[in-house]
Amino acid sequence: MDEQVVSRGVWRATLAIAIAVISVSVISERFSAYVQRVWAIHAQLDIVFDSLICALAVVPLTYYSVARIARSFREANNKFITLVRQNITGIFIYQEGKFQYVNPRFAEMFGYEVSDLVTGGISFSDIVDEKCIPLINETICREVTNTRDPDRHYELACKTAQGESLACEVYLTRSLYRGKPAIIGTIIDRTERKQIELALSRREQQYRALFQHNPSPVYSLDTAGCFTDVNPAGPDIIGYPVDELIGKPFMPYLLSDDLPEALSAFRTALEGEACHVNLSVIHKTGAHRNLELNIIPIVVNGQVEGVHGIARDVTKEKKADAFLEGQRRVLEMIAKSEKLNHVLKELIDIAENQFEGCIACVYLIDKQTNHLVFALGPSLPAACLEKVRDIAIDAHNGSSANAVIRKEPVIVTNIFADPRWSNLRTVAREHDLHACWSIPILNAFGEVLGTFTLSFGSEQSPDLKELDLMKTITYLAGLAIERKQNEEYVEHLAFYDPLTDLPNRRLFTERLSQAVDHAKRSLQRLAVMYVDVDRFKQINDSLGHNYGDLFLIEIAQRLTQCVRDTDTVARMSGDEFTILLYPMNVIGDAIEVAQRIMRAFAEPVMLEGNEFNITASIGIAVFPDDADHVSSLIRNADVAMYAAKSLGKNTYQVYTPAMNDKAFDTLILQSAMSKALAKGEFVLHYQPRVNVHTSKIVGAEALIRWNHPVRGVLAPGEFIHLAEETGFIVPLGKWVIREACKQNKAWQDAGHPPIRVAVNVSAQQFFQNSIVCDIAEALESTGLSPRDLEIEITEGTLMKHERTIVGILEELHAMGVHISVDDFGTGYSSLSYLKQFKVHTLKIDQSFIKGIPDKPDDTAIAETVIALARALKLSVIAEGVETQAQLEFLRSKQCDELQGYLLGRPVPPEKFSFEIEMAHAP
């Protein structure tokens, strides 16, 4: 339909309408608007025209009225044509399979020219998608013939001339066009809206997929805090199905302690702010689950209508963290030597936290009865404990007994069907125990110490992770128990002899001290007996230490059988024993015990099929007759024992004051000295020698000490003269050389800088042809370089034994051993011997150092010795330096090395090691 056709149709309709209503009133303006609205809504010109023509036959008109009306409707027609042509909605008339009219928007929408659509033979089939062609053909046919429903609305998939897809909304109505049925329609491009709808639908589906298939639990709540939706993963955490949750408030499912924080987070989300909270929920079974919860507001049109809660079950993580923290605490407790029950309680708490609903307990083995004895299990009911406090290790006595037997985990998932529980099944039934897991607790050597046991009220079996966790707990229990046992053993060793299990010197001294204090208050007497086994060294040397140990064990047993339970028998060292008799009435009581011991020793000891006769020398000291102090009592009993030995052994002696005379004291020391070396009572202390210029420690002098069991630490002046007199100085000197070499090499191996250690050598050692061999052997066995060993020989020895010593010194010099002259300046001969002997160093005697710089004579001698050494190209050491003034003087005179209390006292090797380290620190 072109514009002229549209115009004629409008004129016809206008004339008919005017004739029909003119008789009522002149309403041209109002009627014109009405016509426009009618046409805009229905667009059925021919229908309107036919109805108005009918009305024309009955209404008389005047020319004037018709002219006025015609003018008004021409204006309306022009407006109508403009409205159709410029409408943003596509408008078309379709008749007999062709478009009879399309407005510009319709042509633009489908990418055609208007003329192409109207005259180009393009039909509806060309602009709709193939799948819509049957529908459109059926619709057009129905619309043309339908007489009842004038209007139809369809959504069609269309296509443009370029092949692009359009989503269109079509409104069709029947009409007549040029006297024939036709379809007048409007079409709206809804592609963008469809895309938006599809996008919204896709997002809705994505949201539902995210909600429904999310492995994390998701909960939706309304503003009152009631559940409105729960995804499939939600019920798993709390054990309630969705239908039991919808409409219910969330608060009852939380632990009461977490409720305030949860409500605060919920209110924050209702205010439009997302938040995060950690809380615990109560499962339907009563178990607790730890959650990390992200709470997100649900905002619709700017209003918060509820919240989403996205949860993550962190129960396993929390348990893992709790286990690691518990493990750290347990290790710290073990390191701090806390009480064993406290450590086991911590481990039981860890186990019961990791395994919900279990009862954990620990059993320890009683090796004497071969039973498992209950140690700890706070959650075990008292009635049940009474029946399982002590369990015999038997294959039918449950999981713990079998864990000990098999030395491996025993997992019983059904107690009532497992034969290993046949003896304890009644107990399990009475206390509703259905499963029991037990792991043996082992020490470092694989020995079973006990078991760690978990019992459950339902049938359960552990997975691999749970089994590993149990093994870790059990391992920690083993560490704690073994640490406790080791501490008890160490504590026992501190007071008891490891070989005989008798009290040692320390415990004997403590008990004696307590007895003395008590005897003083109660005015009672007591006796100390010192027992030494005669000729034990011969047995030990002939049969070896193993049989010697068996011999001592037998001696200990016999001594114990000779005294009362209230008395104390102790092993002091080697073959020496002491006995405390308390209380005691008269000295005759102690003598009777001594005689009893001698009779017991009269019985031979069988070793290796041979009989060995033993005897003992016994000394007795009585409180308060002989002494009133612990040390004095022991010393006097020791003196009496040596008196018994001096009488030919195999007897006893009661202490008398005459035994403490100097001569007798010397006899005692001589007798004890030979044993002291074998017992390891001699030790070396080291006094530093310092370079006068650098203040670094460059050497040390080894000085012997005797740790006497009764008299304490003895300085060399108290016993060396006796060693010289008895010839004991030779083996003692050999030991000193070897021990000094060994210690110096140990310092070097520890990373300390090399120093030279000086050893004093007696003249008697030079008379032994083995002195050079002894030194060579000591150097070779210890790996010490000869340049790090110095042999000190006194000036007096050099002068008296010149011919004997000169050759030995030459050999030592050739080996590389350093040689120094000690006490230089105290001799009485000329200095010509310095040219004969191969020496390296002169040591100025401390008697000259003591007077400098105040005494001119001492100062002159010191200066002379230093000058002499310089002339002979020898180094000089000043010993006995005790003041800063002496040090400054010697430094000014270019003395090489200094030794004395100012620079360091003689100290044990471990302390001297620290002094070396500090002296050489940067």
Side-chain angles (χ1 to χ4, degrees):
M1 180 178 69
D2 56 18
E3 294 178 5
Q4 293 296 327
V5 174
V6 173
S7 179
R8 285 197 299 273
V10 172
W11 276 109
R12 291 170 61 192
T14 301
L15 182 59
I17 292 170
I19 292 172
V21 300
I22 195 63
S23 59
V24 179
S25 64
V26 180
I27 54 170
S28 59
E29 294 297 326
R30 295 179 181 175
F31 193 68
S32 174
Y34 169 75
V35 171
Q36 293 182 53
R37 285 198 303 273
V38 170
W39 179 252
I41 296 172
H42 298 286
Q44 301 184 53
L45 299 178
D46 286 340
I47 296 174
V48 175
F49 175 76
D50 292 342
S51 63
L52 295 181
I53 289 297
C54 294
L56 184 62
V58 296
V59 179
L61 297 173
T62 65
Y63 176 79
Y64 176 77
S65 299
V66 170
R68 256 183 95 182
I69 292 172
R71 187 166 58 252
S72 297
F73 278 92
R74 268 198 309 274
E75 294 175 359
N77 180 54
N78 291 335
K79 292 179 180 179
F80 174 76
I81 292 173
T82 300
L83 176 64
V84 171
R85 296 178 67 180
Q86 295 181 358
N87 205 303
I88 61 173
T89 301
I91 301 174
F92 66 90
I93 297 177
Y94 194 76
Q95 186 182 60
E96 296 180 350
K98 296 180 180 179
F99 290 103
Q100 300 300 322
Y101 173 79
V102 296
N103 70 343
R105 173 57 183 155
F106 184 95
E108 178 188 1
M109 190 182 303
F110 290 96
Y112 291 97
E113 296 293 333
V114 172
S115 58
D116 293 338
L117 289 167
V118 175
T119 62
I122 295 175
S123 68
F124 245 117
S125 300
D126 297 319
I127 66 171
V128 297
D129 191 87
E130 292 181 359
K131 61 185 178 182
C132 293
I133 292 176
L135 173 64
I136 198 65
N137 288 336
E138 178 185 355
T139 300
I140 291 173
C141 179
R142 185 173 65 249
E143 292 297 335
V144 171
T145 59
N146 188 16
T147 59
R148 289 191 302 172
D149 299 326
D151 298 318
R152 291 284 181 176
H153 169 234
Y154 300 94
E155 291 185 0
L156 297 178
C158 300
K159 59 184 178 180
T160 65
Q162 293 75 29
E164 296 178 358
S165 298
L166 296 177
C168 296
E169 194 173 350
V170 181
Y171 294 87
L172 302 178
T173 185
R174 287 182 296 104
S175 183
L176 293 175
Y177 176 65
R178 294 178 178 174
K180 296 181 180 180
I183 295 175
I184 299 176
T186 60
I187 188 166
I188 302 172
D189 185 0
R190 298 296 191 191
T191 302
E192 184 175 356
R193 190 183 75 177
K194 281 292 183 182
Q195 289 174 347
I196 293 173
E197 290 175 352
L198 287 173
L200 291 174
S201 175
R202 188 177 296 109
R203 289 184 181 180
E204 174 65 19
Q205 293 176 32
Q206 290 173 347
Y207 164 75
R208 294 309 301 177
L210 179 64
F211 185 85
Q212 294 294 329
H213 302 295
N214 197 326
S216 297
V218 183
Y219 306 92
S220 298
L221 307 175
D222 58 21
T223 54
C226 295
F227 290 100
T228 58
D229 202 356
V230 181
N231 77 337
D236 293 341
I237 285 184
I238 51 180
Y240 295 91
V242 174
D243 56 352
E244 291 187 26
L245 294 174
I246 300 301
K248 303 288 182 60
F250 71 88
M251 287 77 79
Y253 301 98
L254 303 183
L255 287 180
S256 57
D257 291 344
D258 293 339
L259 193 56
E261 186 176 2
L263 289 173
S264 175
F266 179 68
R267 286 191 291 268
T268 299
L270 290 181
E271 293 173 359
E273 182 180 349
C275 56
H276 177 88
V277 66
N278 294 317
L279 47 81
S280 297
V281 298
I282 306 171
H283 194 270
K284 193 173 185 179
T285 61
H288 295 172
R289 295 287 184 269
N290 302 111
L291 303 183
E292 284 185 355
L293 193 64
N294 289 310
I295 304 178
I296 305 167
I298 301 173
V299 181
V300 178
N301 296 327
Q303 297 293 322
V304 177
E305 295 187 351
V307 300
H308 288 311
I310 303 175
R312 187 168 76 91
D313 188 350
V314 294
T315 305
K316 290 183 178 179
E317 296 177 21
K318 290 285 187 181
K319 285 187 175 182
D321 292 342
F323 178 75
L324 291 176
E325 176 60 22
Q327 184 179 20
R328 184 197 63 78
R329 287 196 306 271
V330 167
L331 290 172
E332 184 176 343
M333 293 170 74
I334 294 173
K336 291 181 177 179
S337 298
E338 293 196 20
K339 292 183 178 180
L340 178 60
N341 272 8
H342 293 176
V343 179
L344 294 180
K345 174 62 167 59
E346 184 71 25
L347 288 171
I348 286 173
D349 290 344
I350 291 172
E352 292 181 346
N353 179 59
Q354 296 294 320
F355 301 95
E356 293 181 0
C358 82
I359 298 174
C361 58
V362 176
Y363 282 87
L364 298 179
I365 288 182
D366 184 338
K367 293 183 178 180
Q368 294 181 348
T369 63
N370 198 34
H371 280 206
L372 281 169
V373 179
F374 177 81
L376 194 67
S379 301
L380 191 66
C384 182
L385 173 59
E386 289 304 315
K387 298 179 180 179
V388 295
R389 185 182 297 276
D390 187 291
I391 301 174
I393 299 175
D394 181 271
H396 299 286
N397 277 351
S399 304
S400 295
N402 281 275
V404 174
I405 295 170
R406 299 171 62 88
K407 290 189 177 182
E408 63 183 17
V410 173
I411 308 300
V412 174
T413 58
N414 185 349
I415 289 175
F416 305 110
D418 198 304
R420 291 172 291 187
W421 271 78
S422 58
N423 290 348
L424 298 176
R425 199 166 289 157
T426 302
V427 177
R429 184 174 288 107
E430 289 175 355
H431 298 280
D432 198 27
L433 301 178
H434 291 262
C436 185
W437 312 341
S438 188
I439 309 288
I441 301 173
L442 306 177
N443 64 11
F445 303 101
E447 299 170 344
V448 180
L449 303 174
T451 63
F452 199 100
T453 301
L454 302 182
S455 302
F456 298 86
S458 60
E459 295 182 12
Q460 294 193 39
S461 60
D463 56 30
L464 291 178
K465 287 185 177 179
E466 291 174 330
L467 192 58
D468 286 342
L469 189 146
M470 278 191 64
K471 289 179 179 179
T472 302
I473 293 175
T474 305
Y475 170 75
L476 293 174
L479 285 181
I481 296 170
E482 188 172 14
R483 174 66 179 266
K484 180 62 176 178
Q485 291 180 346
N486 289 339
E487 288 175 354
E488 291 176 348
Y489 177 69
V490 170
E491 185 176 357
H492 185 79
L493 287 181
F495 294 97
Y496 289 86
D497 174 54
L499 177 63
T500 63
D501 205 34
L502 292 177
N504 60 12
R505 177 188 299 275
R506 178 180 177 183
L507 182 55
F508 180 82
T509 303
E510 288 186 6
R511 289 186 180 178
L512 178 57
S513 177
Q514 293 171 2
V516 168
D517 291 341
H518 188 270
K520 287 179 179 179
R521 292 193 300 270
S522 59
L523 301 178
Q524 290 181 308
R525 306 176 79 190
L526 62 82
V528 174
M529 304 179 69
Y530 213 110
V531 182
D532 183 85
V533 180
D534 299 328
R535 290 178 293 277
F536 171 73
K537 188 175 185 300
Q538 296 176 6
I539 297 174
N540 207 38
D541 291 344
S542 60
L543 296 181
H545 292 290
N546 290 337
Y547 286 98
D549 290 346
L550 295 175
F551 186 86
L552 290 173
I553 293 171
E554 176 66 21
I555 296 298
Q557 291 174 351
R558 294 189 185 188
L559 288 173
T560 303
Q561 293 168 0
C562 293
V563 299
R564 300 166 299 182
D565 292 339
T566 57
D567 298 328
T568 298
V569 178
R571 183 186 178 202
M572 301 298 276
S573 63
D575 58 352
E576 295 179 346
F577 299 83
T578 53
I579 300 173
L580 168 61
L581 302 177
Y582 180 73
M584 187 190 73
N585 295 320
V586 294
I587 186 62
D589 294 339
I591 293 174
E592 182 181 343
V593 173
Q595 292 172 344
R596 193 181 303 146
I597 292 171
M598 295 180 69
R599 288 195 298 269
F601 278 30
E603 293 292 329
V605 176
M606 295 295 297
L607 291 176
E608 284 238 314
N610 298 314
E611 290 186 356
F612 290 87
N613 295 315
I614 56 172
T615 60
S617 299
I618 305 171
I620 303 171
V622 178
F623 170 88
D625 307 50
D626 302 326
D628 59 357
H629 292 90
V630 171
S631 59
S632 300
L633 279 168
I634 296 176
R635 180 178 182 277
N636 290 345
D638 186 35
V639 168
M641 182 269 293
Y642 278 107
K645 280 189 174 293
S646 67
L647 295 175
K649 304 178 182 179
N650 192 25
T651 186
Y652 64 88
Q653 285 289 298
V654 179
Y655 172 79
T656 64
M659 292 179 179
N660 266 337
D661 291 343
K662 184 174 181 181
F664 196 79
D665 191 49
T666 300
L667 175 63
I668 292 174
L669 280 179
Q670 288 177 348
S671 178
M673 193 179 297
S674 59
K675 291 184 177 182
L677 187 59
K679 293 178 180 179
E681 294 177 1
F682 290 107
V683 296
L684 293 182
H685 286 194
Y686 298 86
Q687 186 173 29
R689 292 191 340 205
V690 176
N691 184 288
V692 72
H693 304 294
T694 64
S695 297
K696 302 286 188 182
I697 295 177
V698 294
E701 182 176 358
L703 301 169
I704 194 167
R705 300 288 186 269
W706 182 2
N707 285 331
H708 194 278
V710 176
R711 303 186 180 188
V713 179
L714 301 181
E718 298 182 67
F719 62 87
I720 285 296
H721 65 285
L722 294 177
E724 294 274 5
E725 293 173 5
T726 60
F728 183 68
I729 193 66
V730 175
L732 184 61
K734 180 179 179 180
W735 176 85
V736 170
I737 292 171
R738 181 180 179 83
E739 184 66 19
C741 291
K742 178 182 175 182
Q743 182 59 64
N744 196 6
K745 187 63 169 65
W747 285 328
Q748 294 179 13
D749 292 343
H752 295 308
I755 64 171
R756 183 177 295 122
V757 173
V759 176
N760 290 284
V761 178
S762 168
Q764 291 191 41
Q765 292 176 263
F766 280 95
F767 297 151
Q768 300 291 324
N769 295 328
S770 62
I771 181 64
V772 176
C773 294
D774 291 343
I775 293 175
E777 181 184 344
L779 292 171
E780 182 179 358
S781 63
T782 60
L784 183 70
S785 172
R787 68 174 179 270
D788 295 329
L789 175 64
E790 180 174 309
I791 299 299
E792 289 190 5
I793 185 169
T794 64
E795 186 180 21
T797 299
L798 283 174
M799 301 305 299
K800 293 177 183 178
H801 311 286
E802 179 179 342
R803 293 182 180 179
T804 304
I805 293 177
V806 65
I808 296 174
L809 293 182
E810 288 179 352
E811 288 186 62
L812 294 176
H813 189 277
M815 288 171 55
V817 176
H818 206 85
I819 301 169
S820 65
V821 179
D822 197 11
D823 301 336
F824 186 79
T826 60
Y828 299 98
S829 66
S830 67
L831 301 177
S832 60
Y833 72 88
L834 292 178
K835 297 172 58 178
Q836 299 176 7
F837 294 113
K838 300 291 187 180
V839 298
H840 303 85
T841 303
L842 302 181
K843 290 188 72 174
I844 305 175
D845 187 71
Q846 58 184 341
S847 62
F848 302 126
I849 301 301
K850 187 179 296 184
I852 64 173
D854 300 325
K855 294 183 179 181
D857 292 344
D858 291 341
T859 302
I861 292 174
E863 290 179 343
T864 301
V865 173
I866 294 172
L868 176 64
R870 289 276 175 249
L872 297 175
K873 297 182 180 179
L874 302 176
S875 60
V876 183
I877 301 174
E879 59 179 344
V881 179
E882 298 183 357
T883 68
Q884 189 67 30
Q886 293 169 352
L887 185 149
E888 296 298 337
F889 172 82
L890 293 168
R891 178 181 288 161
S892 68
K893 300 304 178 182
Q894 300 297 307
C895 182
D896 297 302
E897 297 177 21
L898 306 176
Q899 179 181 344
Y901 284 177
L902 178 67
L903 305 160
R905 292 176 176 270
V907 293
E910 58 274 9
K911 187 172 182 181
F912 188 81
S913 174
F914 176 75
E915 291 184 358
I916 297 175
E917 184 176 346
M918 295 303 295
H920 289 268

